[in-house]
Amino acid sequence: VGRCIIHAAARLHLALRMYVYLSKKIAIPNGTRLASLDWNGLSGWICCGGEEGLLKVLKLDSSRAAERAKASGAPSNLSMNQTLEGHEGMVRCVCWNENHRKLTTADQNGLIIVWMLHKGQWYEEMINNRNQSTVRGMKWTPDGSRICIVYEDGMVIVGSNDGNRLWGKEIKSGDLAHVEWSPDGRNLLFCTAACEVHVYDAHGNFVANLPLYCLESVAGPTALAGVHWYDGAEGLLAIDQPVLAIGLQNGRLQLMRHEVDEEPVLVDSGMTVAELHWSTNGSMLAVSGHRSTSSSAGEKRAISMVQFYSPTGQHLRTLKVPGAGISAFSWEGGSLRIALAVDSFIYFANLRPDYRWGFLGETLVFAYTTAERQGTSLLFWDTQSGERLTKLLAKPLVALCTASDCCVYATQAEDAQHQHVLRLCNAIGSPLDQKYIDFEPVFLAMSAFHVVAASADAVYVWQYRTLLSKLTSVDAGTGLTRRKEGRERCWHIDDSLNASSEPLAMVAGREASDDPIIALAASATCLLVARESGALLRYSLPHVALECSYKIRTKPQSMALNCSSNRLSIIDVQGVLTLLDIDASGGTRDVLATPASAEDAPVRLERKDVWDFRWAEDDPSMFVAMEKTRLAIFNDTTPEEPVLSSAYLCSFRGLEVRAVHLDDLTNDPETPRSDLVQTFETQALRETRERLASSGAAEASAYVEQHPHPRLWRSVADAALQKLDFPLADKAFVHCQDYMGVQLVKRLKLLDDAKKQAAEVAAYFNRFDEAERIYCDLDRRDLALQLRSNIGDWAKVVKLAQQGGGDDATLMQAWRRIGDEHAEAGRMDKAAQFYAQAQDNEALVDACYRNGDYEGLTKLCSDLPGGTPLLVDIGRKLGSVGMVGEAADALVKGGEVSEAIELCFAQHQYHSATALAHRQNCYPALQTALKQYATQLIESGQTLCAVELYRKASQHTEAARLLSRLAADVGAARNNPLRAKKLFVAAALEVERMRQSMLSGQAPQGGTQAAAQTLQSLVSQDNATGGDKWLESSWRGAEAYHFLLLAQRQLHSGRMVDAMRTALRLREYESILPAEEVYSLIALAAFHAKHYGQCSRAFMRLQQLAATPAQIAETAKLALSIFTRNPPDDPASPPLECPNCDAAITDCDSSCSDCGAFFAACVVSGKPVREPHLAAKCRSCKHSFLEEEARGKRHCALCHAQLPVFAS
C-alpha cells in the first residue's frame, strides 16, 4: 500500500539514449524449434537447446580480423558449430559454469548432462537421470563452485562442480519453477508457479518468505515468469542500485536492492512477460514477452518484443522481434549484444548504450564504474599526449556534457538532500565553478557560453562565460567566486517568461507539468526546449526570452543545432533522424513536421536507425550520423559512401570526423589506448589528397575551386609549399584566410637561396632534423641554432653551440632552459646541475631548495660575495626549514642583520639572537622585541614562558625580576611554600649569572680586570638590581621558605629541639614571612621540645601581634592553659662560649650578645655554624653547611647544586 507502480504507458523522461537493433540471424537446421539458450560471458560460447534433443554450441569468430570487424561494426562469422548428442527430449535448461568452463544441460525427461571442453571440443563428463520429474531450473553460484537443480515436484539438489552431491531436500510449497543464488552464494531463492518466493540458506534451512509487492491490486491469476539476481561483478551504477529482479507473466516487475527491501521499484511493462535477465554489467534489465494487438480488420496477433529498463525502472527502449515468440534470450559478456531464440532461429541484436561521456578539444571525458570501488569515476584522457586523470565522485553522477574547452557534470549535493550541483571543470578535471539547483537535471545541454539544465518541469540557464572568454564566476582582481546578477535564469516550463519575471524563480515543490520537457538543444545564440505535446520552444541567448514556438509531429529523444543555429536535427524515440530549417525571423510556426506532401519545405531530410549525430563545427550544412553500423557523412542532404564503424562521434571539423570506440574503452578504462580513437575523412578531402599525390597541386587547385573549403585550400597550400610553388601557396593561404601563411610565403620569397627556402619549408612542416641538415650543408650552423632555439630544442642548441655554432651566452641560455625543463618535470636534481652550468644562481637556489639540497644552499652561500641580494633569499629559505644558524649567517652576510635577529627570535633561538645582537651592535632592537613578546606572554598568563624567554636571551636581570615577583605572589598565597622557595632560588641564581656575565664581560682577552673596570662592574650591578626589593633579596626569600619547610619537616619527624632551633631562625625573616605564622611555629616547636621559656616569649609576641580582642583573649586562654601546668623555664643546657669573645651563649643563639658576631645557619640542619673549620660552603649559592650534617648527601639542601663527597 502506498507504493507507486511505473507504467509503461506513463510519460517518458528520456535522459538515456540507448539504441538497439537486430544485426544477425542464424537458422537452425531442419527448422527445429528452440527452447533454451545461454551465452557464456567469458569465453563467448553460445549454447542452444530445442526439440528432439537438439543441443548446439556455437561461437562467433574471435580472431584478430574478427575483432577489427567488430570494432568497425561488421557482423561476425561462426568459428564453432558443434552439435552435442545425448538428449532425446526437448532441452529445456542450459547453464554455463564460466569459471570452470563447464556446460550443464537438462531435458524434459529429467536427464542432466555435464559437458566439459577437451581440445576444442565438448564431451560428456557426467550424466544424471532422476526419471521422476522435470527439471525446472538450474543455477551455478557466481563463483561456479556449486550448482542448484530444482525439479517440478519440489525436489532440490545442490552439488559441487566436481559432481559430488552436497545436500538434497524436498520443498513442499507447490510446484517449483525457478531458482536463484544470492551474489555471495549464502542464500537461495526458490520460486513456485503460484507466485511464492522462499529464501533458504546455502545449507537448505528456511530463512523467510520474500514478499511480492507487485501482486498488490492484481486481478486474475498469474504466474512467476522469471527471477534474476545481479552479482555485482562489474560494479554498480549507484550504491543503492536494485539488483534483484522478479517478473510476473502479467507484466508486473519488482526490482529490489536486497531480499528484505521493503521499498522496491515496481514496474508494469504492459506485456505478457516470458523471461528477464540483467545485463552482465547490471546497467540494464531486459524483459522478453509479447503484446497482443488488433488489426483494423479485428484480427488479433501477438507482437514479440524485448523491453529494456534501467535499474531504477525507467523504460529505455523496446525491440520488436519477428516470429511467433521468444523462447529464451541471453546477454553477451560486455552487455553490447543480446541473443534471442525465436522459433528455429537465433537473432542477434546490437545495443548502443548511452555512455556518459563528452569530448572537449583533444580530451575525452568518460564516466565508468568498477567492482573494486564504489561510486562513479570520471576519466579525463588527453587523446594526443596520452595523459589521463581520474576523479572519484562522492555522489552518483546524474548527467554530463561538454562544449568548447569546458565540461559540466551534475551530481547530488553532498550537504543537501533535495539539491543537485552543477560542477564546471576544465580539460584536466580542475574545478572552475559550481552552481546549486533545486531539481534533478535530467537533461543537460552546453554551449561555448551557457549551461542549460532541465527537469521535466523546470529549466535553468547559467552563463558561465562571456564573449570576452572570461568565466563569469571570477571577479577580476580578487579571484573570488560570486553570483552575478543576470548570469542565471530559472523558470517553470508552464510560466510565461518576460522582462518582469523573477530571474531565479522557485521551482522546488511546484506541481508537475501536464506537458513535460523531453529534450534540449542549445547554441551560442538560442535555446530549444521540446515538450511531449510536440511544442518546440525557442528562447534567445544570452538574454533569455521566448522568441517563437514550433509544432512538430515527433517525440525527440535528442536534438542538436548547427553552428549557425538555423538548422535543427532531431532523433526521435524510434531512431528516425529529421532535419528542420528554423529561424527566429517571424512569430509562431504552426507546423514543422514530417512532410505530408512535397510542399512542406522546412523538413530537409529523414534517415532511419540513427543513434548518434554531429554537426560540423565549421560548416552549417555538413553533418555526420551513425546508422546501425555505418558512419555516413552528409554535405547538405547528399550522403557520401558510408563507412563501417560502431564508434561514437567525438567531433567534426576540418572535413575530419573523430570517433572513439567507447565499447572497448569500457572494458579497460584505467589504461586507454590511442587506437581507440579513429579519424574519418570526407570524400572531398580524400579526393584532394589523391589529386595532389597523382596530378599535382595545380589540378588539385582546380578541383578545390569547384568544391571550396578552408581545409581543402590548406591541403593545396601545404602541397604547394612542398614544391616551392609560392604563387599557388599564396593563393591557397588567402582562400583559407591564413594570414600567418601569407606572411610565411612573403618571407620565403625574400630568401635568395632555394635550399634556405627548402629548410624553412621543412621547419614549417615540423621536419626540423631535415631543416637542420640543410643548414649544416650550407655551413650555416647559426641558422640551425636559431631554428632549434625557436622551437625550444635546447639539447640540440647545446650540441650546435659546442660545435662552434654559438657563443658562451647562447650556451648559458641553453643550459638554463634545459634546467627549466627539468624543473617543470619535477627533476630538481637534474635542474640544479644545469643551473650550475649556466651560472644561474637564482634558479639554482630555487632548485636546491625544492630538491631539499640544503647543504648545496649552504655551500653556495659561502661562495657568494658579501652583500649579494641572493644571500637574503638563501637565508630565508634555510630559516623556513629550521636551519637557524646557517640562515642567520646568510642573512648577516647579505646585510640583513635585523632580519637575522628576528629569525633567531622567531625560532626561539634567543641566545643566538642575543649574541648576534651584541656582535652586530643591535642590542636596543633586541631589547624592544623581547619586551614586547614577554609582555604578551605575561598578559596571557604564561609568566614562566616569559622567564624562559629572558633566560635564553641571556637577560638574567629581567628573568630574576619576574621569578622574584612570581615567588612573592606564590608565597603570599600561603598554599605552596616549596614552589615559592624554588622560584626564589631560581631568581637568585639568575642574579648570580647576571653578576658573573657583567664581571666577565669587562675583562680584557687574556688579561685581568683593572680596579676601575671592577668598580664600573659593581656600579652596573647596583643599577641593574636596584629598585626591586625582591631582586636584591632573592636569597633571603629562598632562605626564609627553606627554613620554614625544614622546621616543619623536623617537627613532623619528632626532632623537636632541632625544629625549635630552626624556627627561631625565622625571626630574621619577618619581612618575608608573616610574623604570626613564625611565632606560632616557634611556640609549637618550643612546647613540644619542653622549652617553655621560649614558648612563653613566643606567646608574648603573639599577644602583641593579635589584631582583635578576640584573638588576644584566645591567645591568653591558650597560654594560661599551658603555663599553669608548666613554668615558663627552659631546661638546663651545657654552657657554650662565643668563639670570638668567649662570652656565654646558648645553642639557640644566632649571634653573640656581647661582640655581635653572627653565626650562619646550616642549610642542612638549621644549626648555627660557630666553628667555620667544621663547615663548608656551596659553590653555587655560597651558603654554609656543617660537613657532619652533609655526609651522605649529594646536593645542596637550599639550591640543590651538586656537593662534593664527604667521607662518612
Side-chain angles (χ1 to χ4, degrees), residues 367-478:
Y368 65 95
T369 58
T370 60
E372 289 76 17
R373 53 176 178 262
Q374 293 182 343
T376 303
S377 299
L378 273 185
L379 170 67
F380 292 82
W381 173 35
D382 190 327
T383 57
Q384 290 292 330
S385 64
E387 297 179 357
R388 59 184 178 87
L389 179 140
T390 303
K391 295 178 64 174
L392 182 62
L393 303 184
K395 291 291 184 178
L397 180 66
V398 177
L400 183 148
C401 194
T402 58
S404 184
D405 57 351
C406 292
C407 167
V408 65
Y409 60 92
T411 63
Q412 296 178 2
E414 298 180 8
D415 52 353
Q417 183 177 3
H418 300 292
Q419 279 193 326
H420 288 74
V421 59
L422 302 176
R423 287 189 170 89
L424 185 73
C425 56
N426 58 13
I428 59 174
S430 299
L432 303 176
D433 196 6
Q434 64 182 21
K435 298 294 181 183
Y436 287 85
I437 55 178
D438 296 327
F439 57 85
E440 181 179 359
V442 181
F443 308 98
L444 196 61
M446 189 177 186
S447 69
F449 304 99
H450 298 86
V451 171
V452 183
S455 65
D457 314 298
V459 182
Y460 169 80
V461 178
W462 166 26
Q463 184 177 356
Y464 68 92
R465 173 180 289 153
T466 65
L467 293 175
L468 300 178
S469 296
K470 186 180 84 171
L471 294 178
T472 59
S473 60
V474 179
D475 185 69
T478 63

Side-chain angles (χ1 to χ4, degrees), residues 85-118:
E85 297 180 356
H87 290 285
E88 295 180 357
M90 178 180 291
V91 180
R92 293 184 177 275
C93 299
V94 293
C95 184
W96 286 105
N97 186 334
E98 298 178 350
N99 293 334
H100 296 87
R101 308 184 89 179
K102 292 184 178 183
L103 172 64
T104 307
T105 60
D107 59 27
Q108 63 183 8
N109 300 323
L111 176 63
I112 301 175
I113 303 178
V114 179
W115 308 84
M116 60 175 292
L117 182 68
H118 179 66

Side-chain angles (χ1 to χ4, degrees), residues 1078-1096:
V1078 171
Y1079 286 100
S1080 296
L1081 182 61
I1082 293 174
L1084 179 62
F1087 172 79
H1088 287 289
K1090 303 185 183 304
H1091 282 64
Y1092 299 112
Q1094 291 288 355
C1095 182
S1096 175

Side-chain angles (χ1 to χ4, degrees), residues 66-74 644-647 661 664 678:
E67 290 296 328
R68 289 195 296 269
K70 179 181 175 181
S72 64
L644 287 177
S645 176
S646 60
H661 292 278
D664 295 332
Q678 282 186 296

Side-chain angles (χ1 to χ4, degrees), residues 1025-1166:
T1025 58
D1028 194 325
K1029 67 173 185 176
W1030 291 116
L1031 197 62
E1032 296 175 352
S1033 58
S1034 299
W1035 280 124
R1036 282 185 55 78
E1039 294 167 4
Y1041 284 100
H1042 172 70
F1043 289 127
L1044 175 64
L1045 293 168
L1046 179 60
Q1048 295 281 3
R1049 285 195 294 268
Q1050 291 171 341
L1051 184 64
H1052 283 278
S1053 63
R1055 295 179 295 161
M1056 302 305 175
V1057 176
D1058 292 341
M1060 181 191 69
R1061 187 188 302 116
T1062 304
L1064 289 172
R1065 281 282 177 180
L1066 297 178
R1067 294 176 298 181
E1068 303 172 9
Y1069 305 101
E1070 291 186 18
S1071 61
I1072 300 174
L1073 300 174
E1076 183 179 356
E1077 183 178 347
V1078 171
Y1079 286 100
S1080 296
L1081 182 61
I1082 293 174
L1084 179 62
F1087 172 79
H1088 287 289
K1090 303 185 183 304
H1091 282 64
Y1092 299 112
Q1094 291 288 355
C1095 182
S1096 175
R1097 287 189 289 272
F1099 268 99
M1100 293 173 59
R1101 182 61 176 155
L1102 286 173
Q1103 284 184 333
Q1104 295 174 0
L1105 295 173
T1108 62
Q1111 292 179 349
I1112 295 175
E1114 187 177 0
T1115 304
K1117 182 180 178 181
L1118 180 61
L1120 183 63
S1121 65
I1122 294 175
F1123 296 115
T1124 53
R1125 294 192 299 268
N1126 303 294
D1129 297 324
D1130 294 332
S1133 60
L1136 297 175
E1137 295 181 352
C1138 174
N1140 291 333
C1141 63
D1142 297 332
I1145 58 175
T1146 66
D1147 189 44
C1148 297
D1149 292 336
S1150 60
S1151 62
C1152 178
S1153 58
D1154 290 349
C1155 66
F1158 178 77
F1159 307 131
C1162 172
V1163 295
V1164 178
S1165 62

Side-chain angles (χ1 to χ4, degrees), residues 666-688:
T666 305
N667 297 331
D668 190 11
E670 303 289 344
T671 55
R673 308 187 313 272
S674 58
D675 60 345
L676 297 180
V677 180
Q678 282 186 296
T679 301
F680 302 92
E681 296 181 347
T682 64
Q683 182 178 354
L685 183 58
R686 292 196 303 270
E687 289 188 8
T688 302

Side-chain angles (χ1 to χ4, degrees), residues 18 209 300 541 601 663 1024:
M18 187 271 288
N209 288 322
K300 290 187 177 181
L541 295 176
D663 300 336

Side-chain angles (χ1 to χ4, degrees), residues 238-514:
I239 298 176
D240 58 347
Q241 170 187 328
V243 293
L244 173 58
I246 301 174
L248 305 182
Q249 288 183 359
N250 63 1
R252 295 288 184 90
L253 307 177
Q254 180 169 314
L255 310 182
M256 307 177 69
R257 296 162 186 83
H258 41 75
E259 69 272 20
V260 293
D261 187 4
E262 296 182 355
E263 296 183 356
V265 177
L266 304 181
V267 180
D268 187 356
S269 63
M271 68 175 182
T272 301
V273 175
E275 196 174 358
L276 57 83
H277 292 287
W278 287 106
S279 61
T280 58
N281 57 15
S283 62
M284 285 178 286
L285 175 67
V287 183
S288 67
H290 67 273
R291 180 182 299 165
S292 299
T293 61
S294 299
S295 63
S296 58
E299 296 180 356
K300 290 187 177 181
R301 67 186 187 95
I303 301 178
S304 301
M305 61 182 65
V306 180
Q307 293 187 7
F308 297 88
Y309 294 88
S310 70
T312 56
Q314 181 184 11
H315 181 264
L316 303 178
R317 185 71 64 176
T318 297
L319 173 66
K320 295 181 180 179
V321 182
I326 304 173
S327 56
F329 75 93
S330 181
W331 288 88
E332 179 194 23
S335 305
L336 297 178
R337 284 191 293 184
I338 190 170
L340 308 165
V342 182
D343 298 335
S344 59
F345 300 94
I346 299 178
Y347 286 89
F348 292 90
N350 287 6
L351 284 87
R352 309 311 303 145
D354 181 40
Y355 296 109
R356 291 170 292 180
W357 72 290
F359 195 77
L360 57 152
E362 299 295 337
T363 301
L364 176 73
V365 185
F366 183 69
Y368 65 95
T369 58
T370 60
E372 289 76 17
R373 53 176 178 262
Q374 293 182 343
T376 303
S377 299
L378 273 185
L379 170 67
F380 292 82
W381 173 35
D382 190 327
T383 57
Q384 290 292 330
S385 64
E387 297 179 357
R388 59 184 178 87
L389 179 140
T390 303
K391 295 178 64 174
L392 182 62
L393 303 184
K395 291 291 184 178
L397 180 66
V398 177
L400 183 148
C401 194
T402 58
S404 184
D405 57 351
C406 292
C407 167
V408 65
Y409 60 92
T411 63
Q412 296 178 2
E414 298 180 8
D415 52 353
Q417 183 177 3
H418 300 292
Q419 279 193 326
H420 288 74
V421 59
L422 302 176
R423 287 189 170 89
L424 185 73
C425 56
N426 58 13
I428 59 174
S430 299
L432 303 176
D433 196 6
Q434 64 182 21
K435 298 294 181 183
Y436 287 85
I437 55 178
D438 296 327
F439 57 85
E440 181 179 359
V442 181
F443 308 98
L444 196 61
M446 189 177 186
S447 69
F449 304 99
H450 298 86
V451 171
V452 183
S455 65
D457 314 298
V459 182
Y460 169 80
V461 178
W462 166 26
Q463 184 177 356
Y464 68 92
R465 173 180 289 153
T466 65
L467 293 175
L468 300 178
S469 296
K470 186 180 84 171
L471 294 178
T472 59
S473 60
V474 179
D475 185 69
T478 63
L480 301 177
T481 59
R482 59 183 65 183
R483 185 183 293 271
K484 296 244 181 152
E485 185 178 359
R487 301 302 187 192
E488 297 175 64
R489 295 294 301 271
C490 184
W491 71 95
H492 195 275
I493 194 62
D494 291 337
D495 295 343
S496 60
L497 200 61
N498 49 50
S500 61
S501 301
E502 184 71 20
L504 292 172
M506 293 297 296
V507 296
R510 293 279 298 271
E511 293 184 0
S513 174
D514 294 332

